Amino acid sequence: MNKNKVYIETYGCQMNLADTEVIMGILNNNGYELTKEIESSDVVFLNTCSVRDNAEQRIHGRLGTIGVLKQNNPNLVIGILGCMAERLRNDLIEKEKVVDLIVGHDEYRKIPELIDIAFSGEKGIGVKLSRTETYEDIEPYREEGLSAWISVVRGCDKFCTYCVVPFTRGRERSSKIESIVDEVQRLSERGFREVTLLGQNVNSYSDGENDFADLLVACAKVDKNLRIRFTTSHPQDLSDKLLYVIAEYPNLCNYIHLPVQSGSDRVLEKMNRTYSIEHYLGIIERARKIIPGVTFSTDIISGFPTETEEEHKMTLDVMSKVRYDGAFMFKYSPREGTRAYKMEDDIPEEVKSRRLTEIIDQQQKIAYKINQGLIGTEDIVLVENFSKKSNQFYSGRTSTNKIVILPVAENVQIGDYVKVKIYKATSATLFGEFLKITDVYKKHKNVNVA
Ligand code: 5AD
Ligand code: SF4
């Protein structure tokens, strides 16, 4: 019998990329073939994002194009997975006639059954949220590579007033430490060199006995040459214990993504972010003391309802105080069902855009200066791939998440850790000369215990 072929496109955050691997694992276990060619597929899935309106508009546009494929193949099943499925439910099927199947985050196990329903000509719908589903018994389908993701916390209980995620992904729940450590072990045995632990708020990880710092230690111990990264951290829940743990284990990367969202306490309160700028800057200061050389990135929203010009300047001010190495910067986008949706979206589009441009420009200048300051320094880079521009150069990353371009050397292979000396820098990229092959665990660490 011919196996049905499934093609999946993934949009949005790293959690969605990890979910797609879980979904492919489920499909693989159920006898489906996975394909990278949309034209020859029997089922097309879009794993979607709802975090901002433009993410959803992209999907509507894509459905227009994909719908055309049904003219040649009327049996083609088109499915929407993830946040848009959960948020829009039946309305999506009403609006987009080409959609046969909608499946939210906690019903992925039902996908094979729902595909059968769709093949029989009915609409397949699975959008119930669960308080317990973690998929920890499912082996994600991963191609060979160096980097992998593992979702360790699903859902979010923070309810930031602008954010749709608590509604689309439901309540927070954590996988058991044993299942995560086993997965890290298997990845290490397969030759992976980096694992990113994922959660909308990883710091709230708890399996009843272990907190997130305990989880990091357990993962770090699996393989000293396997780097561990994590995202996203919430400033309210990031503990000093976690900072000390990062400082202690060389393979826990010296990089923290710590979204600030706004530089104004009044706006933060309206966003329900539950911390003040003073508290936030306190974490940054302690982290820099405890983990020398640690880098930070952030998320920033410009033009939240009622944000004044002065408050926008406060955001620029906090950026120049922290001096982020990287930032993801967005215009506020009202999301139906959230608390902020009931606030008037009163900042005109052109003001939001101008503020966002100022934020982006400032961030670029800061990152450029930071990176210029790294010229002449040495660091350890995991060689990840050939550079996008030329096969004569490798591209890799430091523990601090900086991209480094270095010349291909005969004895160096993808997957090696190498020591480099930085000789050139832009705001986004460092350029290094190769010094020698090394091990990640030889990295020098100064642990300042307070
Ligand atoms: N509008 C703009 N940005 C948003 N984010 C979340 N919701 C919205 C929204 N409604 C941003 C936040 C979050 C990141 C993942 O997306 O900065 O940290
Ligand atoms: Fe959304 Fe806030 Fe949860 Fe992040 S912490 S997913 S911004 S509600």
Side-chain angles (χ1 to χ4, degrees), residues 156 158-160 162-163 165-166 200 234 261 273:
C156 183
K158 284 287 170 200
F159 288 95
C160 301
Y162 50 79
C163 186
V165 168
Q200 302 298 335
H234 192 291
Q261 312 294 3
R273 286 293 288 179

Side-chain angles (χ1 to χ4, degrees), residues 1-14:
M1 199 187 95
N2 258 353
K3 286 202 228 169
N4 283 311
K5 290 188 191 162
V6 184
Y7 166 91
I8 310 187
E9 269 173 27
T10 309
Y11 296 81
C13 62
Q14 285 180 311

